[in-house]
Amino acid sequence: MSPQEATVAMEASGYTSDAVGRVGRFGPFEQLRTRFRAVGAPSYRVDVVAYYVGPMGLTCMAVDALSGPQVSFDGIRLIGRRPSELSAELCAYLEKTGRDIEITTGGGDIGSHELGMNPRAQRAGDVLLTRLVFGRPNDWANTVFDCVPAEEWRVH
């Protein structure tokens, strides 16, 4: 998906964005970013961030724990939860479905390379909630961790 296609899809779901920004380079390819917020939300708010790499298009998305859209996978609510609760439920799901249980790089949470999910903790006052980073490894990145831009590894 190109930045333009992602913008059209997000607008159809009630989100607006600023201009596409340049993040840097990934090898020979330019890496771009689009920040989305709900229509009518303050301009400083960022609900979803989409990242793109050259001809591969959309490679990574991050959903904010506090203001991002609710995302579920196979009945598991992924966004805005206590990290320990999501880890327990995701671990049980991965075991039940015969998938590898993986400890994420940078946060030590339960994630899945196969499913392209990397949960991250995000501060919400005095508690932590789950912000999820989705990645799409392919010929240019070996793991979900490899396709997540450095700015996503900062503390949120």
Side-chain angles (χ1 to χ4, degrees):
M1 185 176 276
S2 71
Q4 296 77 16
E5 291 168 324
T7 298
V8 168
M10 291 296 285
E11 284 176 354
S13 296
Y15 290 85
T16 187
S17 68
D18 295 328
V20 175
R22 186 171 185 265
V23 177
R25 297 198 67 76
F26 192 92
F29 304 115
E30 186 172 50
Q31 191 169 39
L32 304 173
R33 167 190 62 221
T34 309
R35 293 181 173 137
F36 296 95
R37 67 182 179 285
V39 171
S43 61
Y44 59 82
R45 192 169 100 183
V46 180
D47 300 331
V48 176
V49 183
Y51 297 94
Y52 320 85
V53 172
M56 276 76 71
L58 182 64
T59 56
C60 179
M61 290 190 82
V63 181
D64 188 82
L66 300 174
S67 63
Q70 196 46 246
V71 178
S72 296
F73 173 76
D74 211 5
I76 301 171
R77 187 170 65 94
L78 302 173
I79 308 301
R81 298 185 64 186
R82 293 184 184 274
S84 60
E85 292 173 0
L86 176 58
S87 289
E89 197 169 345
L90 192 53
C91 188
Y93 174 83
L94 294 169
E95 283 180 337
K96 181 179 82 174
T97 59
R99 291 182 167 94
D100 290 336
I101 297 170
E102 300 167 7
I103 306 298
T104 63
T105 306
D109 294 300
I110 299 297
S112 173
H113 172 77
E114 185 179 350
L115 299 176
M117 291 184 208
N118 194 343
R120 303 277 297 144
Q122 179 179 329
R123 283 190 62 99
D126 290 336
V127 298
L128 295 176
L129 297 176
T130 52
R131 166 191 185 85
L132 217 71
V133 178
F134 298 93
R136 185 178 65 92
N138 54 22
D139 295 340
W140 71 280
N142 295 320
T143 67
V144 173
F145 178 81
D146 294 337
C147 63
V148 176
E151 69 182 41
E152 276 304 321
W153 296 117
R154 285 188 236 132
V155 174
H156 287 275

